[in-house]
Amino acid sequence: MHALSGYVDGGSVVTSENISSYEGYNVIITILDSMRRGPSATDADTERRKNAARELAGLWKSHGDSCSVEETVRAMRRGRSFDI
């Protein structure tokens, strides 16, 4: 997972980072409503956004369960059974 900062200009997303190495990859674009700063965002804002994205990407590391990530995901995919 990679976090890039940018802004929407018309119907396009503009970023100052080189994203050509991601050609053909699937992406998810998240619009941060509370940060409508556009191209005038400062370097501190950009760094703060990147740090927030890195923290979100590391949610599993603070998971207190003794199971591995693979076991946890496998258990979630099994679904639930209800006694009715």
Side-chain angles (χ1 to χ4, degrees), residues 60 65 67-79:
W60 281 110
D65 196 0
C67 295
S68 69
V69 173
E70 290 83 12
E71 291 169 333
T72 303
V73 171
R74 196 172 298 120
M76 284 191 271
R77 289 182 176 162
R78 265 190 236 128

Side-chain angles (χ1 to χ4, degrees), residues 8-9 12 15 18 21 28-31 33 48 51 55 63 65-66 69 71 73-74 84:
V8 176
D9 183 17
S12 301
T15 181
N18 183 356
S21 63
I28 297 173
I29 299 172
T30 303
I31 305 297
D33 291 333
R48 190 179 76 235
N51 287 337
E55 287 177 23
H63 194 283
D65 196 0
S66 61
V69 173
E71 291 169 333
V73 171
R74 196 172 298 120
I84 298 178

Side-chain angles (χ1 to χ4, degrees), residues 33-62:
D33 291 333
S34 63
M35 297 185 148
R36 293 184 185 169
R37 300 195 102 156
S40 63
T42 65
D43 289 339
D45 292 334
T46 300
E47 195 58 35
R48 190 179 76 235
R49 289 181 204 164
K50 286 183 181 181
N51 287 337
R54 287 185 190 110
E55 287 177 23
L56 287 172
L59 288 176
W60 281 110
K61 70 181 175 185
S62 63

